[in-house]
Amino acid sequence: LGLVAFNTRGPGPAAELYQTGVAFAEASLPASFGGVLPWGWVDNRPFLRCLHGLALCAWRQRRWNEAEAMFMARVWLDPSGGPQRPRLPGAGSSTPAVDQGVAKLRGRQPVKRTL
């Protein structure tokens, strides 16, 4: 539903749907949870999709810090990846063109990479 809302009504209405999914998933985790939720386990996918979608909504709304925090949480929860693995600028996982585009949107210089 979040993806449909994102494509038809924009990131605001979609964020509400994604937030509901994230809230349900977080409520099912123990309070002291500090583990991983691998994409390979099918039951983890709805939560990971909702977290990814919520981060995309924040990004589209130019709430950079919130988006970055959610993308980082997504990576920590599923370090093995998955088809929705975020590619964070400056984290060594995106291309220079993406870094430059993001830097332009954020009004700062792109991250210099060394290999």
PDB file of all heavy atoms in Angstrom, residues 62-80:
ATOM      1  N   ARG A  62      12.980  15.830   1.708  1.00  0.00           N
ATOM      2  CA  ARG A  62      14.209  16.571   2.039  1.00  0.00           C
ATOM      3  C   ARG A  62      14.484  16.627   3.536  1.00  0.00           C
ATOM      4  O   ARG A  62      15.069  17.575   4.036  1.00  0.00           O
ATOM      5  CB  ARG A  62      14.186  17.966   1.430  1.00  0.00           C
ATOM      6  CG  ARG A  62      14.144  17.925  -0.077  1.00  0.00           C
ATOM      7  CD  ARG A  62      14.062  19.311  -0.668  1.00  0.00           C
ATOM      8  NE  ARG A  62      13.989  19.213  -2.111  1.00  0.00           N
ATOM      9  CZ  ARG A  62      14.958  19.592  -2.934  1.00  0.00           C
ATOM     10  NH1 ARG A  62      16.053  20.094  -2.472  1.00  0.00           N
ATOM     11  NH2 ARG A  62      14.795  19.456  -4.231  1.00  0.00           N
ATOM     12  N   ARG A  63      14.055  15.609   4.235  1.00  0.00           N
ATOM     13  CA  ARG A  63      14.381  15.469   5.652  1.00  0.00           C
ATOM     14  C   ARG A  63      15.610  14.559   5.714  1.00  0.00           C
ATOM     15  O   ARG A  63      15.542  13.379   6.042  1.00  0.00           O
ATOM     16  CB  ARG A  63      13.188  14.894   6.423  1.00  0.00           C
ATOM     17  CG  ARG A  63      11.993  15.814   6.394  1.00  0.00           C
ATOM     18  CD  ARG A  63      10.821  15.335   7.254  1.00  0.00           C
ATOM     19  NE  ARG A  63      10.835  13.930   7.597  1.00  0.00           N
ATOM     20  CZ  ARG A  63       9.912  13.045   7.204  1.00  0.00           C
ATOM     21  NH1 ARG A  63       8.904  13.416   6.442  1.00  0.00           N
ATOM     22  NH2 ARG A  63       9.981  11.786   7.583  1.00  0.00           N
ATOM     23  N   TRP A  64      16.747  15.139   5.340  1.00  0.00           N
ATOM     24  CA  TRP A  64      17.974  14.382   5.095  1.00  0.00           C
ATOM     25  C   TRP A  64      18.439  13.583   6.301  1.00  0.00           C
ATOM     26  O   TRP A  64      18.800  12.412   6.170  1.00  0.00           O
ATOM     27  CB  TRP A  64      19.087  15.312   4.627  1.00  0.00           C
ATOM     28  CG  TRP A  64      18.718  16.240   3.529  1.00  0.00           C
ATOM     29  CD1 TRP A  64      18.785  17.598   3.554  1.00  0.00           C
ATOM     30  CD2 TRP A  64      18.216  15.905   2.216  1.00  0.00           C
ATOM     31  NE1 TRP A  64      18.370  18.127   2.352  1.00  0.00           N
ATOM     32  CE2 TRP A  64      18.015  17.117   1.512  1.00  0.00           C
ATOM     33  CE3 TRP A  64      17.915  14.713   1.578  1.00  0.00           C
ATOM     34  CZ2 TRP A  64      17.535  17.158   0.221  1.00  0.00           C
ATOM     35  CZ3 TRP A  64      17.438  14.766   0.271  1.00  0.00           C
ATOM     36  CH2 TRP A  64      17.254  15.964  -0.393  1.00  0.00           C
ATOM     37  N   ASN A  65      18.474  14.208   7.457  1.00  0.00           N
ATOM     38  CA  ASN A  65      19.004  13.521   8.644  1.00  0.00           C
ATOM     39  C   ASN A  65      18.137  12.331   9.048  1.00  0.00           C
ATOM     40  O   ASN A  65      18.645  11.274   9.409  1.00  0.00           O
ATOM     41  CB  ASN A  65      19.157  14.493   9.810  1.00  0.00           C
ATOM     42  CG  ASN A  65      20.214  15.543   9.536  1.00  0.00           C
ATOM     43  OD1 ASN A  65      21.138  15.318   8.757  1.00  0.00           O
ATOM     44  ND2 ASN A  65      20.070  16.696  10.150  1.00  0.00           N
ATOM     45  N   GLU A  66      16.824  12.509   8.979  1.00  0.00           N
ATOM     46  CA  GLU A  66      15.922  11.398   9.304  1.00  0.00           C
ATOM     47  C   GLU A  66      16.088  10.260   8.305  1.00  0.00           C
ATOM     48  O   GLU A  66      16.117   9.092   8.686  1.00  0.00           O
ATOM     49  CB  GLU A  66      14.475  11.870   9.304  1.00  0.00           C
ATOM     50  CG  GLU A  66      14.123  12.808  10.431  1.00  0.00           C
ATOM     51  CD  GLU A  66      12.701  13.316  10.293  1.00  0.00           C
ATOM     52  OE1 GLU A  66      11.786  12.475  10.103  1.00  0.00           O
ATOM     53  OE2 GLU A  66      12.505  14.536  10.373  1.00  0.00           O
ATOM     54  N   ALA A  67      16.169  10.617   7.035  1.00  0.00           N
ATOM     55  CA  ALA A  67      16.331   9.596   5.996  1.00  0.00           C
ATOM     56  C   ALA A  67      17.630   8.829   6.190  1.00  0.00           C
ATOM     57  O   ALA A  67      17.655   7.593   6.122  1.00  0.00           O
ATOM     58  CB  ALA A  67      16.292  10.241   4.610  1.00  0.00           C
ATOM     59  N   GLU A  68      18.691   9.563   6.445  1.00  0.00           N
ATOM     60  CA  GLU A  68      19.985   8.909   6.633  1.00  0.00           C
ATOM     61  C   GLU A  68      19.953   7.963   7.834  1.00  0.00           C
ATOM     62  O   GLU A  68      20.461   6.837   7.768  1.00  0.00           O
ATOM     63  CB  GLU A  68      21.080   9.954   6.816  1.00  0.00           C
ATOM     64  CG  GLU A  68      22.463   9.355   6.903  1.00  0.00           C
ATOM     65  CD  GLU A  68      23.548  10.411   6.959  1.00  0.00           C
ATOM     66  OE1 GLU A  68      23.263  11.558   7.362  1.00  0.00           O
ATOM     67  OE2 GLU A  68      24.681  10.074   6.603  1.00  0.00           O
ATOM     68  N   ALA A  69      19.337   8.390   8.921  1.00  0.00           N
ATOM     69  CA  ALA A  69      19.248   7.537  10.111  1.00  0.00           C
ATOM     70  C   ALA A  69      18.455   6.262   9.820  1.00  0.00           C
ATOM     71  O   ALA A  69      18.833   5.168  10.262  1.00  0.00           O
ATOM     72  CB  ALA A  69      18.615   8.315  11.261  1.00  0.00           C
ATOM     73  N   MET A  70      17.361   6.396   9.068  1.00  0.00           N
ATOM     74  CA  MET A  70      16.552   5.212   8.749  1.00  0.00           C
ATOM     75  C   MET A  70      17.291   4.283   7.797  1.00  0.00           C
ATOM     76  O   MET A  70      17.224   3.055   7.936  1.00  0.00           O
ATOM     77  CB  MET A  70      15.206   5.633   8.164  1.00  0.00           C
ATOM     78  CG  MET A  70      14.269   6.181   9.223  1.00  0.00           C
ATOM     79  SD  MET A  70      12.644   6.560   8.580  1.00  0.00           S
ATOM     80  CE  MET A  70      12.858   8.281   8.152  1.00  0.00           C
ATOM     81  N   PHE A  71      17.997   4.849   6.814  1.00  0.00           N
ATOM     82  CA  PHE A  71      18.778   3.999   5.911  1.00  0.00           C
ATOM     83  C   PHE A  71      19.888   3.278   6.672  1.00  0.00           C
ATOM     84  O   PHE A  71      20.164   2.104   6.426  1.00  0.00           O
ATOM     85  CB  PHE A  71      19.372   4.812   4.759  1.00  0.00           C
ATOM     86  CG  PHE A  71      18.396   5.111   3.656  1.00  0.00           C
ATOM     87  CD1 PHE A  71      18.259   6.397   3.171  1.00  0.00           C
ATOM     88  CD2 PHE A  71      17.625   4.116   3.080  1.00  0.00           C
ATOM     89  CE1 PHE A  71      17.374   6.689   2.145  1.00  0.00           C
ATOM     90  CE2 PHE A  71      16.737   4.386   2.052  1.00  0.00           C
ATOM     91  CZ  PHE A  71      16.615   5.682   1.588  1.00  0.00           C
ATOM     92  N   MET A  72      20.526   3.978   7.603  1.00  0.00           N
ATOM     93  CA  MET A  72      21.572   3.329   8.398  1.00  0.00           C
ATOM     94  C   MET A  72      20.976   2.213   9.257  1.00  0.00           C
ATOM     95  O   MET A  72      21.564   1.140   9.380  1.00  0.00           O
ATOM     96  CB  MET A  72      22.291   4.353   9.279  1.00  0.00           C
ATOM     97  CG  MET A  72      23.172   5.317   8.506  1.00  0.00           C
ATOM     98  SD  MET A  72      24.475   4.508   7.558  1.00  0.00           S
ATOM     99  CE  MET A  72      25.517   3.924   8.880  1.00  0.00           C
ATOM    100  N   ALA A  73      19.811   2.451   9.842  1.00  0.00           N
ATOM    101  CA  ALA A  73      19.140   1.404  10.624  1.00  0.00           C
ATOM    102  C   ALA A  73      18.837   0.206   9.733  1.00  0.00           C
ATOM    103  O   ALA A  73      19.004  -0.949  10.145  1.00  0.00           O
ATOM    104  CB  ALA A  73      17.860   1.946  11.253  1.00  0.00           C
ATOM    105  N   ARG A  74      18.412   0.479   8.520  1.00  0.00           N
ATOM    106  CA  ARG A  74      18.097  -0.595   7.552  1.00  0.00           C
ATOM    107  C   ARG A  74      19.336  -1.443   7.266  1.00  0.00           C
ATOM    108  O   ARG A  74      19.273  -2.665   7.216  1.00  0.00           O
ATOM    109  CB  ARG A  74      17.524   0.037   6.287  1.00  0.00           C
ATOM    110  CG  ARG A  74      17.379  -0.866   5.088  1.00  0.00           C
ATOM    111  CD  ARG A  74      16.299  -1.911   5.297  1.00  0.00           C
ATOM    112  NE  ARG A  74      16.097  -2.676   4.102  1.00  0.00           N
ATOM    113  CZ  ARG A  74      16.826  -3.736   3.763  1.00  0.00           C
ATOM    114  NH1 ARG A  74      17.810  -4.146   4.514  1.00  0.00           N
ATOM    115  NH2 ARG A  74      16.567  -4.408   2.654  1.00  0.00           N
ATOM    116  N   VAL A  75      20.465  -0.779   7.096  1.00  0.00           N
ATOM    117  CA  VAL A  75      21.706  -1.503   6.825  1.00  0.00           C
ATOM    118  C   VAL A  75      22.130  -2.321   8.043  1.00  0.00           C
ATOM    119  O   VAL A  75      22.541  -3.472   7.911  1.00  0.00           O
ATOM    120  CB  VAL A  75      22.833  -0.523   6.407  1.00  0.00           C
ATOM    121  CG1 VAL A  75      24.176  -1.227   6.355  1.00  0.00           C
ATOM    122  CG2 VAL A  75      22.510   0.107   5.060  1.00  0.00           C
ATOM    123  N   TRP A  76      22.017  -1.761   9.250  1.00  0.00           N
ATOM    124  CA  TRP A  76      22.403  -2.491  10.446  1.00  0.00           C
ATOM    125  C   TRP A  76      21.476  -3.675  10.713  1.00  0.00           C
ATOM    126  O   TRP A  76      21.920  -4.711  11.211  1.00  0.00           O
ATOM    127  CB  TRP A  76      22.411  -1.562  11.662  1.00  0.00           C
ATOM    128  CG  TRP A  76      23.671  -0.751  11.731  1.00  0.00           C
ATOM    129  CD1 TRP A  76      23.811   0.561  11.414  1.00  0.00           C
ATOM    130  CD2 TRP A  76      24.975  -1.204  12.101  1.00  0.00           C
ATOM    131  NE1 TRP A  76      25.112   0.956  11.560  1.00  0.00           N
ATOM    132  CE2 TRP A  76      25.852  -0.107  11.999  1.00  0.00           C
ATOM    133  CE3 TRP A  76      25.488  -2.424  12.520  1.00  0.00           C
ATOM    134  CZ2 TRP A  76      27.206  -0.206  12.291  1.00  0.00           C
ATOM    135  CZ3 TRP A  76      26.837  -2.514  12.815  1.00  0.00           C
ATOM    136  CH2 TRP A  76      27.677  -1.410  12.701  1.00  0.00           C
ATOM    137  N   LEU A  77      20.207  -3.529  10.408  1.00  0.00           N
ATOM    138  CA  LEU A  77      19.283  -4.634  10.632  1.00  0.00           C
ATOM    139  C   LEU A  77      19.505  -5.776   9.656  1.00  0.00           C
ATOM    140  O   LEU A  77      19.267  -6.934   9.982  1.00  0.00           O
ATOM    141  CB  LEU A  77      17.833  -4.150  10.517  1.00  0.00           C
ATOM    142  CG  LEU A  77      17.315  -3.363  11.710  1.00  0.00           C
ATOM    143  CD1 LEU A  77      15.963  -2.740  11.368  1.00  0.00           C
ATOM    144  CD2 LEU A  77      17.198  -4.260  12.934  1.00  0.00           C
ATOM    145  N   ASP A  78      19.943  -5.460   8.449  1.00  0.00           N
ATOM    146  CA  ASP A  78      20.170  -6.489   7.432  1.00  0.00           C
ATOM    147  C   ASP A  78      21.495  -6.223   6.725  1.00  0.00           C
ATOM    148  O   ASP A  78      21.523  -5.749   5.592  1.00  0.00           O
ATOM    149  CB  ASP A  78      19.013  -6.502   6.428  1.00  0.00           C
ATOM    150  CG  ASP A  78      19.186  -7.557   5.355  1.00  0.00           C
ATOM    151  OD1 ASP A  78      19.847  -8.578   5.612  1.00  0.00           O
ATOM    152  OD2 ASP A  78      18.664  -7.343   4.252  1.00  0.00           O
ATOM    153  N   PRO A  79      22.613  -6.506   7.396  1.00  0.00           N
ATOM    154  CA  PRO A  79      23.908  -6.203   6.791  1.00  0.00           C
ATOM    155  C   PRO A  79      24.217  -7.027   5.549  1.00  0.00           C
ATOM    156  O   PRO A  79      25.066  -6.647   4.754  1.00  0.00           O
ATOM    157  CB  PRO A  79      24.909  -6.493   7.907  1.00  0.00           C
ATOM    158  CG  PRO A  79      24.185  -7.263   8.937  1.00  0.00           C
ATOM    159  CD  PRO A  79      22.725  -7.035   8.729  1.00  0.00           C
ATOM    160  N   SER A  80      23.508  -8.141   5.353  1.00  0.00           N
ATOM    161  CA  SER A  80      23.769  -8.982   4.186  1.00  0.00           C
ATOM    162  C   SER A  80      23.205  -8.383   2.907  1.00  0.00           C
ATOM    163  O   SER A  80      23.564  -8.796   1.821  1.00  0.00           O
ATOM    164  CB  SER A  80      23.174 -10.371   4.399  1.00  0.00           C
ATOM    165  OG  SER A  80      21.769 -10.293   4.483  1.00  0.00           O
TER     166      SER A  80
END
